[in-house]
Amino acid sequence: QVQLVESEGGSVVHGGSLRLSCEATGETNSINFMGWFRQSEGKEREGVAALRIRDGRTNYTDSVKDRFTISQDNARYRVTLQMERLEAEDTGTYYCVASRVRALNGAIFNRLVYNYWGQGTQVTVSS
């Protein structure tokens, strides 16, 4: 089993920055991808950013490209999501995720391929 422990989110004003981190513990050798999903009120849960563990390759959903950066943070199974120029539409609950799947290709933001989920942390951006 794998456990995902997320840092606390926070509240910022429009244009501000926040940093989320997530560490995987347990049977981490089974993990091939880590990432973040988010869910805003009244919307479907959506993939935001993902990282392939073996080489650090990243993917982002279009709405956060050039604003969010996912990276490995001094540990193979610890990832950070640096969020810049935050907008009100970024408000939501952010979930750290991990997948055992070896190759995701077009399914990188399909929630069904992620085996492990964190408990979620709230990010609020006020206008």
Side-chain angles (χ1 to χ4, degrees):
Q1 282 295 324
V2 170
Q3 295 77 41
L4 300 175
V5 179
E6 300 149 337
S7 62
E8 285 192 18
S11 297
V12 296
V13 297
H14 177 91
S17 302
L18 273 177
R19 183 182 174 99
L20 303 178
S21 63
C22 172
E23 183 165 13
T25 60
E27 297 176 359
T28 54
N29 284 343
S30 67
I31 297 173
N32 289 298
F33 290 85
M34 292 184 70
W36 294 87
F37 275 63
R38 70 183 178 191
Q39 186 161 23
S40 304
E41 190 171 346
K43 295 185 179 179
E44 294 284 322
R45 196 171 293 189
E46 65 169 345
V48 174
L51 180 146
R52 187 163 63 187
I53 295 297
R54 66 177 173 85
D55 61 4
R57 179 175 177 176
T58 58
N59 289 84
Y60 300 92
T61 194
D62 285 346
S63 64
V64 308
K65 281 180 181 176
D66 301 324
R67 298 190 299 120
F68 289 14
T69 303
I70 186 171
S71 60
Q72 286 167 296
D73 182 19
N74 294 324
R76 186 172 176 84
Y77 299 105
R78 179 181 171 90
V79 295
T80 295
L81 184 68
Q82 179 68 40
M83 303 182 289
E84 306 284 350
R85 303 195 307 279
L86 283 160
E87 304 168 353
E89 292 72 22
D90 296 316
T91 294
T93 302
Y94 283 67
Y95 298 90
C96 179
V97 296
S99 174
R100 299 193 305 262
V101 176
R102 292 182 181 274
L104 290 179
N105 299 321
I108 192 76
F109 291 135
N110 183 337
R111 58 188 290 184
L112 297 178
V113 304
Y114 288 92
N115 309 96
Y116 307 104
W117 291 73
Q119 293 203 347
T121 187
Q122 180 66 32
V123 171
T124 303
V125 184
S126 57
S127 55

